[in-house]
Amino acid sequence: FDDFDARRQFWEAALNGQMAERFLEGDEEGALQIAKDMLAGGKPEGVVHIVGAGPGDPELLTLKALRLLQQADIVYYDRLVSDEIIDLIRRDADRVCVGKEKNFHSVPQPKIHDLLVESAREGKRVVRLKGGDPFIFGRGGEELEALQAEGVDAHVVPGISSALGCAASSGIPLTHRDHAQAVTFVTGHAKSGDVPELDWPSLGATNQTLVIFMGLTNALTIAENLIKAGRKPSTPVAIIENGTREDERRFFGSLSEMPQIVDQNKVTSPALLIIGEVAGLPLEAIIRRAADEAA
C-alpha cells in the first residue's frame, strides 16, 4: 500500500475488524476473501454497531461497547450521551452528533438511517451510540430495520437502561416482594408530542412500578390519568434528573404533587418518573415524608 490510511485499514481489519471477526468465528475462507479484496485495492467491509451507552456514568459501559468505541472510524451519537463517554471514543474517529430534543430534531430519523448506510458502504466501522439501551425507547429497532433492509451488516450491543441505572443510583428497587410484583416501562411522549394513548386502567393497578420515560412535559396529565384510573393521590413518586451522573438530582413526593415538583424545581431532561410504593423506600423519601408530616 502506498497510502497510509489504506495500510492502517488493512491491519486494523486483520487484527480487530471484520477480517479478524470472520477468522475467530471459524470462517477462514471469508477472512481470506476480505484480505484478498483489500490487497487488490478494495475497501474493507463496512459494519454498523448500534451501541447502548447506558445512563451516563462511563463506568457503566459494557466492555464490548468500550472496545467498539475505540475501534470505530465514525460515531453517530445522541444528545443524551454524556461527555465522559464521548471522551472514550477513539481519538481519530469522526464524531457526529445527531441528537434530538423535544420539538427539535437536528437530524431527522430517516436522514440518520441514510448516514449509517452511507458510512457502512464506504467500508467504515460505524458506531451508532445511544443513551441507555438502544431497544428501550431508543429507536434502535427502527435503525436496525433500516440497515437490514439495505443489506448492511448490523449488530446491537445492549446498554444498561436508564430505568435500571437511575433506580439503582437512587436506591429504588423496581420490584419488591412486598410492594411491586411487576414493573412497566412506558413513554410519556407520543410521536405527535401529546400524551400517548396508554392503557390507563391497566397502569392504574396497584402492586406495580411504573417507569415513565420522557414524561416531564406531560406530568400533569399523566398524574391526573393515573389517579382517575385508580392510583391513590398519595402514591409515592421519585423524579430523577441526570441519573448516575455527577449532576444527578432526586426529588420525592406523591403522585398528586408530581407536576408541582417538576415545575418548582425546574426539572429538565434527561429525567425519569418512577411511580409506585417502591419510590417511597429510599431514606431520602422517608425523611421527606417525615418532614411533611411534622410541618
Side-chain angles (χ1 to χ4, degrees):
F1 296 111
D2 294 328
D3 181 78
F4 173 78
D5 287 337
R7 290 198 301 273
R8 176 180 61 81
Q9 286 182 344
F10 176 84
W11 286 113
E12 286 182 345
L15 299 174
N16 299 309
Q18 287 294 92
M19 191 189 312
E21 289 184 13
R22 292 283 181 88
F23 183 82
L24 292 173
E25 291 170 357
D27 184 8
E28 295 184 16
E29 290 187 5
L32 181 59
Q33 187 59 53
I34 293 175
K36 289 179 178 179
D37 291 343
M38 293 184 66
L39 288 170
K43 293 181 179 178
E45 183 180 351
V47 60
V48 178
H49 292 277
I50 302 173
V51 177
D57 182 348
E59 292 188 336
L60 294 179
L61 271 179
T62 65
L63 292 175
K64 187 169 186 178
L66 178 60
R67 174 174 64 82
L68 291 171
L69 288 179
Q70 295 179 344
Q71 292 176 354
D73 296 311
I74 185 167
V75 177
Y76 294 97
Y77 64 94
D78 281 347
R79 181 181 66 88
L80 297 182
V81 177
S82 68
D83 292 340
E84 292 82 1
I85 290 176
I86 296 298
D87 288 342
L88 296 174
I89 296 172
R90 170 177 166 162
R91 187 174 302 174
D92 59 342
D94 293 325
R95 306 176 184 187
V96 183
C97 179
V98 291
K100 298 176 177 62
E101 296 182 57
K102 186 179 184 297
N103 297 325
F104 178 71
H105 291 186
S106 60
V107 183
Q109 191 64 41
K111 179 61 176 178
I112 294 175
H113 298 167
D114 293 341
L115 291 169
L116 296 175
V117 171
E118 179 182 340
S119 294
R121 286 180 173 163
E122 291 173 353
K124 294 180 179 179
R125 292 168 298 181
V126 185
V127 166
R128 174 67 175 104
L129 190 61
K130 310 176 79 65
D133 181 89
F135 278 5
I136 299 182
F137 301 119
R139 306 191 189 193
E142 298 174 37
E143 294 173 355
L144 182 61
E145 288 177 346
L147 292 166
Q148 291 175 337
E150 294 293 331
V152 173
D153 187 17
H155 307 270
V156 179
V157 179
I160 293 178
S161 168
S162 55
L164 303 181
C166 293
S169 70
S170 303
I172 299 173
L174 294 180
T175 62
H176 191 290
R177 289 194 298 174
D178 296 330
H179 304 291
Q181 285 72 55
V183 57
T184 302
F185 297 162
V186 298
T187 177
H189 181 77
K191 203 169 186 179
S192 63
D194 299 324
V195 179
E197 296 182 6
L198 300 172
D199 183 359
W200 295 107
S202 175
L203 298 178
T206 57
N207 298 322
Q208 67 170 321
T209 303
L210 300 183
V211 180
I212 301 180
F213 295 69
M214 299 171 285
L216 293 179
T217 301
N218 297 316
L220 175 60
T221 305
I222 290 170
E224 291 175 343
N225 286 342
L226 287 174
I227 292 172
K228 288 179 183 177
R231 285 273 178 157
K232 294 180 180 179
S234 60
T235 301
V237 167
I239 302 167
I240 306 170
E241 176 188 279
N242 293 320
T244 79
R245 308 184 190 202
E246 292 184 359
D247 56 350
E248 175 179 314
R249 294 200 298 165
R250 308 168 187 163
F251 305 97
F252 297 91
S254 66
L255 182 57
S256 62
E257 298 171 325
M258 184 172 71
Q260 289 73 33
I261 295 173
V262 170
D263 291 339
Q264 291 173 3
N265 294 284
K266 295 180 172 57
V267 181
T268 60
S269 64
L272 285 183
L273 311 177
I274 301 179
I275 301 169
E277 297 304 319
V278 295
L281 296 179
L283 181 59
E284 291 176 70
I286 295 172
I287 293 174
R288 200 263 189 193
R289 286 200 306 274
D292 288 345
E293 292 171 0

